[in-house]
Amino acid sequence: SQKIEQNSEALNIQEGKTATLTCNYTNYSPAYLQWYRQDPGRGPVFLLLIRENEKEKRKERLKVTFDTTLKQSLFHITASQPADSATYLCAYNAGNMLTFGGGTRLMVKP
Amino acid sequence: SQTIHQWPATLVQPVGSPLSLECTVEGTSNPNLYWYRQAAGRGLQLLFYSVGIGQISSEVPQNLSASRPQDRQFILSSKKLLLSDSGFYLCAWSVLSYEQYFGPGTRLTVT
């Protein structure tokens, strides 16, 4: 069955650097991959959606790539800020449902 | 604009007691609705989803149930809570099965 995996270890980076988070999936390429941000005690917030036929998507300081050969999506935050500290979740669409990865916690230190 | 409400925000219930969590959406029609549970430090587990009134799909067999009595209302229930039911319960909506929009969540502690 399809699985979606994210690095469970927290990512610690210095303010101003680029954060790169990884999302890997097994088996077939999903039609879409999505990225969400979740702050402690809050619901996830949708950030970006990338389609299978799109290589890259950008929104302000965020960039998402989708590599169907590597079965991987990368999520980049450029010029990171302490306010970017949160858990980031990737998810793939399967019909009416989303299946989420376990999330990666990002800590940006000033 | 669309908004999603969940209540209560926090709940402490004894084992064996019933549960009713409510979710309502405003500003959209015929949304897909979802219930997720998130255990501490864990990912999101889809519990139920609904594509229309009275239409419920269950993803995980358990002592929970869901109902959708109105287009924009989704209710999560249990007749008898277990300790393992503790967690953060999130309701979400979507249109056309694309991105989902989540409510503020309910923190349930079963004692």
Side-chain angles (χ1 to χ4, degrees):
Chain A
S1 60
Q2 179 79 303
K3 291 184 180 179
I4 190 162
E5 298 171 341
Q6 296 181 256
N7 192 343
S8 60
E9 292 183 17
L11 177 64
N12 295 291
I13 65 167
Q14 204 66 34
E15 181 177 9
K17 301 293 185 183
T18 296
T20 298
L21 285 70
T22 304
C23 177
N24 296 298
Y25 59 91
T26 60
N27 301 338
Y28 60 88
S29 286
Y32 311 93
L33 275 172
Q34 302 184 25
W35 284 88
Y36 291 76
R37 168 184 173 141
Q38 186 175 24
D39 291 286
R42 309 288 289 270
V45 175
F46 170 75
L47 296 175
L48 282 168
L49 178 152
I50 186 166
R51 293 175 168 76
E52 184 181 15
N53 61 354
E54 296 176 318
K55 296 292 185 186
E56 182 179 296
K57 201 82 166 278
R58 290 176 184 262
K59 178 183 176 182
E60 298 173 351
R61 293 185 296 112
L62 309 180
K63 184 178 82 171
V64 173
T65 61
F66 194 167
D67 189 325
T68 56
T69 302
L70 295 178
K71 295 186 177 181
Q72 182 178 81
S73 176
L74 297 179
F75 177 82
H76 307 272
I77 306 176
T78 58
S80 60
Q81 305 165 1
D84 295 325
S85 298
T87 296
Y88 292 86
L89 305 166
C90 69
Y92 72 88
N93 288 76
N96 289 313
M97 302 184 295
L98 282 182
T99 299
F100 284 85
T104 298
R105 194 159 69 101
L106 172 67
M107 299 286 291
V108 181
K109 300 186 178 181
Chain B
S1 65
Q2 301 89 0
T3 55
I4 179 169
H5 304 278
Q6 280 187 251
W7 63 90
T10 60
L11 192 58
V12 180
Q13 293 283 99
V15 168
S17 64
L19 173 73
S20 181
L21 302 181
E22 189 164 341
C23 170
T24 59
V25 180
E26 297 176 357
T28 186
S29 295
N30 197 30
N32 293 336
L33 295 173
Y34 306 85
W35 278 113
Y36 291 88
R37 178 171 59 203
Q38 188 172 37
R42 305 289 294 276
L44 292 167
Q45 179 187 34
L46 179 64
L47 302 175
F48 301 94
Y49 72 94
S50 171
V51 299
I53 295 174
Q55 300 178 62
I56 308 294
S57 296
S58 173
E59 291 301 303
V60 182
Q62 57 212 327
N63 68 320
L64 299 173
S65 62
S67 62
R68 185 171 177 174
Q70 300 179 40
D71 181 44
R72 288 169 286 181
Q73 184 185 31
F74 206 21
I75 297 172
L76 182 69
S77 304
S78 174
K79 292 182 180 178
K80 288 186 178 181
L81 284 168
L82 307 172
L83 284 174
S84 58
D85 291 324
S86 293
F88 190 43
Y89 287 81
L90 289 157
C91 181
W93 68 272
S94 73
V95 175
L96 300 176
S97 304
Y98 292 159
E99 62 268 23
Q100 293 186 8
Y101 298 92
F102 287 80
T106 295
R107 176 77 58 191
L108 172 65
T109 303
V110 182
T111 60

